[in-house]
Amino acid sequence: MYNILISGYYGFNNIGDESILRTVIDNLRERLSDVDITVLSQSPAQTAEKYGVHAAQRMNLRDIFRSVRRCDMLLSGGGSLLQDATSRKSILYYLFILFLAQQLGKRTFIYSQGIGPIDTPLNKRLTAFVLRRTDGIVVRDKESQDLLLDLKVPASLIHVTADPVIRVRKPGPELGLRILEEEGCPRRRERLTVGWAVRCRKPDSVFLQEIERCILWLREEYGADSVLIPFFHDEDVGACEAVAERLDGRAGCLRKKHLSEETLSIIGCMDVLAGVRLHSLIYAAVMGVPMIGVSYDPKVDSFLSSIGQPCGLTVENFTLAGFQRAFRDTMDRREEIRAVTARRLTGLISKLDKNEELIREIMERTK
């Protein structure tokens, strides 16, 4: 039996990270014959019930030590854990967990992560020190590989695949249609429906004001309905509600927390998705929905490039005029976008088995 401990940003009701955890757990169970999984989580009871795993409090040193001592391998799982753009301190937490496992003689593995940006010299040195001692590293894009090579991490340790969420199970539209109806945003078949997955902590920002102008333009030019979809509920719902309230009924807003499968189904009910959140764009790709990406981080550009889609829009330069050009182009090329995205996704998905292949190989070597 493999006793695997998963470390990540779990238990915070962030749909993207919870989707990562779901797919990692499913992949491990499907591809490793006998595996026992524990997750370090902010909400251990919720995580244990939701995924059928053991779970421990991620900020409790005693729980962490016990969980690491019990495991055979620490898996640092998915997302953008090793970066210091959003926080100078969170990277130290994830490196500490890896280092502790190494000191206790456990195998350590990086599972389809996006690495960087890492700007602080100390964080660069610590990342290099810890990752050189891992047993395997799988990253989701070439940019992450390049950063690790710059940090002198051995090339033989590094493998490039994709974000694990692209292999999430695809639900039907029925669940999404029901939720849209219950939340007062019914999907009207005769009208174009555009989903918005924004990321903004300032409800009165210039960016959100431009979003409002875009929603009004869509309504006037195409007769389109718009639905604001919070992905990281605690961070996004305030901005979504602020836009909906200022538009006074001219845009719908999902106010409740929804699970990954529910949100996937909701995205699948859209005709187009305009997304800032990375995993909103991944969901759109999985569900075959044409997307317009608005970048706030290199990971968004990397994903869009990997599926052959342009990313000329950023949160900083977002304007109505730029969105109009992108939207018209998307509408003109909808079928082409779907075909290219599906073809690229198939290629990316085929690479993801590398994680479990390496995990099995590492664990077999240490028996």
Side-chain angles (χ1 to χ4, degrees):
M1 173 178 286
Y2 302 117
N3 291 301
I4 294 180
L5 176 63
I6 303 177
S7 168
Y9 190 73
Y10 305 127
F12 291 92
N13 290 312
N14 181 324
I15 289 174
D17 289 289
E18 295 304 310
S19 299
I20 290 170
L21 183 56
R22 166 56 70 194
T23 52
V24 170
I25 290 170
D26 288 347
N27 293 340
L28 290 172
R29 285 174 170 164
E30 288 174 7
R31 290 164 176 80
L32 300 177
S33 58
D34 194 10
V35 61
D36 187 70
I37 299 171
T38 302
V39 178
L40 295 176
S41 170
Q42 181 68 12
S43 307
Q46 182 186 75
T47 296
E49 180 181 2
K50 185 175 179 180
Y51 301 106
V53 296
H54 306 292
Q57 171 53 244
R58 71 192 298 274
M59 298 304 292
N60 184 299
L61 281 174
R62 181 177 294 180
D63 281 5
I64 292 170
F65 184 81
R66 286 176 176 172
S67 299
V68 172
R69 188 171 58 183
R70 178 179 175 272
C71 78
D72 300 310
M73 172 181 282
L74 172 74
L75 191 157
S76 187
S80 303
L81 306 180
L82 301 180
Q83 52 86 19
D84 59 11
T86 57
S87 168
R88 296 287 177 93
K89 296 180 180 179
S90 65
I91 187 173
L92 300 178
Y93 167 83
Y94 296 112
L95 290 173
F96 165 73
I97 303 294
L98 283 162
F99 179 69
L100 175 63
Q102 291 167 355
Q103 291 300 106
L104 292 177
K106 308 300 181 179
R107 299 302 177 186
T108 53
F109 188 84
I110 306 299
Y111 192 109
S112 284
Q113 276 194 42
I115 311 293
I118 305 173
D119 297 320
T120 307
L122 175 61
N123 288 342
K124 287 183 178 180
R125 290 196 296 273
L126 291 173
T127 301
F129 177 83
V130 173
L131 293 197
R132 288 171 192 158
R133 289 158 177 78
T134 58
D135 296 279
I137 299 172
V138 177
V139 293
R140 67 186 180 194
D141 50 54
K142 187 177 183 301
E143 289 77 9
S144 297
Q145 179 188 44
D146 291 342
L147 173 57
L148 293 180
L149 292 175
D150 287 343
L151 294 177
K152 309 302 181 186
V153 176
S156 59
L157 281 178
I158 308 167
H159 304 266
V160 182
T161 59
D163 192 293
V165 176
I166 65 172
R167 197 155 56 183
V168 69
R169 292 187 177 94
K170 182 177 176 179
E174 298 79 15
L175 183 57
L177 290 171
R178 178 171 58 78
I179 292 170
L180 290 168
E181 183 78 30
E182 290 173 352
E183 290 236 35
C185 312
R187 177 69 166 87
R188 294 184 279 189
R189 292 186 179 181
E190 73 279 6
R191 301 188 68 163
L192 193 70
T193 302
V194 179
W196 294 85
V198 301
R199 177 187 184 274
C200 186
R201 297 184 180 183
K202 296 180 179 179
D204 59 348
S205 69
V206 172
F207 172 61
L208 289 185
Q209 292 172 18
E210 289 298 304
I211 294 287
E212 291 163 20
R213 294 179 66 200
C214 293
I215 290 173
L216 292 176
W217 173 76
L218 287 169
R219 188 179 179 90
E220 294 166 4
E221 186 79 7
Y222 291 89
D225 290 331
S226 286
V227 181
L228 295 146
I229 306 169
F231 252 68
F232 189 171
H233 189 272
D234 294 348
E235 286 191 10
D236 298 345
V237 72
C240 292
E241 288 178 336
V243 170
E245 287 168 11
R246 285 195 292 264
L247 291 175
D248 192 24
R250 289 169 288 183
C253 177
L254 303 184
R255 290 174 166 81
K256 297 179 181 178
K257 289 183 180 180
H258 296 290
L259 300 176
S260 303
E261 182 183 10
E262 294 170 336
T263 306
L264 260 174
S265 185
I266 291 165
I267 296 293
C269 296
M270 302 296 114
D271 293 300
V272 177
L273 179 86
V276 180
R277 290 282 183 189
L278 170 64
H279 286 96
S280 72
L281 299 171
I282 293 176
Y283 274 22
V286 169
M287 298 303 291
V289 175
M291 72 199 74
I292 298 170
V294 183
S295 179
Y296 75 97
D297 186 281
K299 64 187 180 183
V300 175
D301 303 81
S302 293
F303 173 69
L304 290 169
S305 175
S306 74
I307 59 169
Q309 302 305 320
C311 186
L313 302 178
T314 68
V315 170
E316 291 77 17
N317 73 10
F318 188 84
T319 62
L320 171 60
F323 176 78
Q324 287 172 332
R325 289 192 294 271
F327 190 83
R328 288 177 176 133
D329 180 65
T330 300
M331 292 298 291
D332 289 343
R333 299 191 305 111
R334 277 181 291 181
E335 295 310 314
E336 176 191 346
I337 289 170
R338 287 192 182 98
V340 170
T341 300
R343 186 168 65 249
R344 293 288 188 95
L345 277 183
T346 299
L348 292 172
I349 289 169
S350 68
K351 297 180 179 181
L352 281 172
D353 285 346
K354 190 67 177 179
N355 287 285
E356 285 72 32
E357 290 172 5
L358 288 171
I359 289 170
R360 186 185 299 107
E361 179 185 317
I362 292 165
M363 297 308 297
E364 288 293 326
R365 286 204 310 261
T366 60
K367 278 188 175 180

